Amino acid sequence: MQRDQPLQELLDDLEVAPSKYQEAIARYDAVSEWLNAEGSELQRFNPSIYAQGSFALGTVVKPLGDDDYDVDSVCLLRVDGSSITQKELKQAVGARLKEHKTYERMLDPAQGGNRCWTLKYADESRFHLDVLPAIPDKSENLTRLRVPPEYAKHAILYTDKRTFDNVEWPRSNPRGFAQWFRDQARTQFDLRRQMMAKSQNSTVEDVPDYSVRTPLQGLVQLLKRHRDLRYAGDPDKPASIIISTLTARAYEDEPDIVSAVSDVVPRLRNSIVKRDGVLWVENPVSPLENFADRWRGNELRREKFFAWLADVEGDLARMVSASDVDEASAVLKGAAPTVSKDAGLRGLFDVAHRKTPPWGMSSVADVTLTCFRKRDSGGWDSLGQSNVSLPRSVDLLFEASTSVEPPFDVYWQIVNTGEEAKRAGKLRGGLERSSSAGRGGLRHTDWTEYRGTHLIVCYIVRGASCIAKSKGMVVRVV
């Protein structure tokens, strides 16, 4: 078995069929034709639509569950910003879409979003198409910042309801970014395209871009799936654009997915810099844009990114050593490894400073733990019942629930690991009887003081017997 076979098989399962790329192109080409058709008020602006985001980068992964394929696109109209306002452009595109009876029914919401008009396809394709109205920007705004002309020429100004009253339009460069991203793996792309052409007995030009897969694209797909499984439905989950940018910057022409995981993932942090006290992930084709700007004013979003990054560094390393695709998939699909299922993690807490419970353990019932994090403004946010990764200096509340009727005593065991606690002489592993934390001792407060991987277990005791016990909850402090 080749060393990259488990990961490659896993990628094959995540991969979107070429027909989906073809279908997406057909969808937005049809919209473009309607906007540009005879009798359209927009025809004089020569509208065209092109993909941005994952479909442009070639990093789409199959949606989880019943989620749709999210096809992001730019609707570019050739008009000068001095002769039209953001609001007028947004309304003009929407009005033309509503003239098409089918598109009018598909608009969701009917009044449009802040930036885009979204068409939701009701058929089996499971697509929704986000159409972002835009006009060309002056490329010299970027070339003076040393952005290469081949990227700068794609700069755009786009519409956003939240900035309709501003003189300045929002700026972006998604097509330039897609070209930059693909150029980071140009050597591998060209090599693989030539190999595909040879195997198909065709010319290189006959091999479409979307059918060629590089290790860079595969790694981004793995990272995005890992993110999606950790933070499904969470609006504060790590942003795809940050994941794609950091990965592409760290990529150094690794020839296969195992090399990409082993060499690139440890370098992901290197392109996160601090400028005047602010964390930056610079847009490589628009240097004044900070992709990490949404971390400002939202500490939780920043913390979740770094907690995810710490998790992914360990999890993908375990995936590289997987013996088969099932083992690699199990690592990817799991949250932080659970004590009950992961022998390696069980061994982590088999330490001398962990006290052995003195009670008998016959007929032990279950205890469920829920973790809460204290807000800066007061009150608590639930982090759920799974293992968690958190930064230092976070106040935590653990709440236990059990079907066992009182009276009983509650004991909490905190087992910490890591060099920081060891150097400080603060290793813990004892059994602490709860007396005043509320709900008869079923609540325990703590905080994340030392980096490392730590274990929390709750015991319900009556007399000389443990009558209920929780599974261990793992808290990683990063």
Side-chain angles (χ1 to χ4, degrees):
M1 183 179 71
Q2 295 181 335
R3 68 172 189 151
D4 66 343
Q5 184 175 333
L7 287 186
Q8 194 56 57
E9 288 183 15
L10 183 57
L11 278 175
D12 290 344
D13 186 55
L14 297 178
E15 186 57 72
V16 174
S19 61
K20 279 296 178 187
Y21 284 92
Q22 296 165 355
E23 196 172 355
I25 294 170
R27 299 289 190 188
Y28 62 70
D29 278 353
V31 175
S32 182
E33 289 177 10
W34 173 248
L35 298 180
N36 208 21
E38 193 72 33
S40 169
E41 289 292 325
L42 302 179
Q43 188 184 37
R44 58 197 171 109
F45 300 136
N46 190 24
S48 62
I49 295 182
Y50 59 84
Q52 62 168 324
S54 60
F55 270 88
L57 304 183
T59 58
V60 183
V61 293
K62 291 177 182 175
L64 290 171
D66 296 327
D67 290 347
D68 288 347
Y69 287 93
D70 183 6
V71 184
D72 297 315
S73 69
V74 173
C75 175
L76 187 67
L77 296 95
R78 279 75 178 177
V79 57
D80 192 276
S82 62
S83 61
I84 194 170
T85 66
Q86 287 186 63
K87 185 175 182 179
E88 289 169 343
L89 183 67
K90 179 77 180 295
Q91 291 177 337
V93 172
R96 178 57 180 169
L97 289 172
K98 291 176 182 179
E99 290 175 7
H100 191 294
K101 296 306 179 186
T102 301
Y103 291 156
E104 183 181 29
R105 290 194 303 270
M106 293 165 56
L107 286 172
D108 183 22
Q111 69 275 17
N114 286 326
R115 302 193 314 160
C116 300
W117 293 97
T118 299
L119 295 170
K120 190 171 180 64
Y121 292 82
D123 56 23
E124 67 282 355
S125 65
R126 297 170 57 195
F127 273 117
H128 69 259
L129 176 65
D130 291 331
V131 181
L132 176 67
I135 61 176
D137 193 10
K138 296 177 180 178
S139 61
E140 54 264 33
N141 290 332
L142 296 180
T143 53
R144 69 166 62 104
L145 297 173
R146 299 184 179 179
V147 175
E150 62 268 27
Y151 304 146
K153 67 181 181 181
H154 298 300
I156 61 170
L157 306 172
Y158 64 88
T159 63
D160 189 327
K161 286 181 181 179
R162 295 163 293 190
T163 61
F164 276 179
D165 294 331
N166 296 354
V167 175
E168 292 288 327
W169 290 49
R171 287 185 159 88
S172 191
N173 191 5
R175 179 170 266 182
F177 181 88
Q179 185 175 337
W180 169 84
F181 178 87
R182 289 179 175 274
D183 283 348
Q184 306 316 297
R186 183 59 58 185
T187 300
Q188 288 298 320
F189 175 86
D190 290 343
L191 177 62
R192 289 162 186 253
R193 196 180 192 191
Q194 291 167 8
M195 292 172 63
M196 289 184 68
K198 185 176 181 180
S199 68
Q200 298 170 5
N201 197 25
S202 63
T203 65
V204 169
E205 291 73 20
D206 290 332
V207 179
D209 287 1
Y210 58 74
S211 67
V212 182
R213 319 306 303 147
T214 66
L216 170 59
Q217 292 166 314
L219 179 54
V220 171
Q221 289 174 307
L222 281 178
L223 292 171
K224 287 168 61 177
R225 177 60 94 219
H226 185 283
R227 179 273 317 270
D228 292 341
L229 290 167
R230 295 300 188 275
Y231 298 101
D234 189 337
D236 293 323
K237 68 183 181 182
S240 293
I241 189 64
I242 294 179
I243 294 172
S244 301
T245 302
L246 296 180
T247 308
R249 284 195 179 279
Y251 181 74
E252 295 180 356
D253 202 35
E254 282 77 8
D256 55 64
I257 188 61
V258 169
S259 298
V261 170
S262 300
D263 298 344
V264 176
V265 171
R267 297 195 293 259
L268 292 178
R269 299 172 183 266
N270 295 354
S271 294
I272 305 173
V273 299
K274 187 171 282 189
R275 298 180 182 174
D276 299 324
V278 177
L279 290 173
W280 267 75
V281 177
E282 181 184 291
N283 182 344
V285 296
S286 187
L288 298 182
E289 182 177 7
N290 178 15
F291 285 143
D293 189 59
R294 295 178 68 193
W295 292 351
R296 301 175 68 180
N298 190 329
E299 185 117 342
L300 188 58
R301 181 175 284 132
R302 176 184 63 81
E303 291 174 357
K304 284 185 177 180
F305 179 84
F306 284 102
W308 168 78
L309 192 55
D311 278 347
V312 88
E313 288 168 344
D315 287 347
L316 264 66
R318 293 168 62 216
M319 290 171 66
V320 166
S321 61
S323 59
D324 55 39
V325 67
D326 291 337
E327 185 179 342
S329 181
V331 176
L332 183 62
K333 290 178 180 177
T338 61
V339 175
S340 61
K341 295 180 181 179
D342 190 286
L345 201 52
R346 281 200 302 269
L348 178 63
F349 299 114
D350 185 14
V351 289
H353 59 274
R354 181 179 184 179
K355 185 175 180 179
T356 301
W359 316 286
M361 293 285 182
S362 59
S363 303
V364 176
D366 287 335
V367 175
T368 300
L369 294 184
T370 304
C371 182
F372 298 84
R373 170 196 175 128
K374 192 172 185 178
R375 295 192 295 265
D376 292 339
S377 58
W380 299 89
D381 290 324
S382 174
L383 301 179
Q385 297 171 355
S386 300
N387 302 326
V388 295
S389 294
L390 294 164
R392 297 173 65 181
S393 303
V394 173
D395 287 304
L396 297 177
L397 169 67
F398 297 95
E399 183 173 283
S401 60
T402 180
S403 60
V404 175
E405 296 292 333
F408 50 69
D409 293 317
V410 181
Y411 288 81
W412 293 86
Q413 185 172 46
I414 314 298
V415 184
N416 60 1
T417 68
E419 287 300 314
E420 288 188 0
K422 185 176 180 179
R423 287 196 299 268
K426 297 293 185 179
L427 291 174
R428 299 162 64 188
L431 294 156
E432 305 170 20
R433 184 176 179 181
S434 185
S435 57
S436 59
R439 290 195 57 213
L442 291 172
R443 288 182 176 175
H444 172 80
T445 57
D446 222 299
W447 83 313
T448 58
E449 186 171 5
Y450 300 107
R451 292 187 180 92
T453 304
H454 314 302
L455 178 72
I456 297 89
V457 184
C458 179
Y459 299 89
I460 308 295
V461 178
R462 184 180 293 144
S465 296
C466 176
I467 56 176
K469 172 180 174 293
S470 73
K471 295 179 180 178
M473 178 179 283
V474 175
V475 175
R476 288 174 173 167
V477 180
V478 296

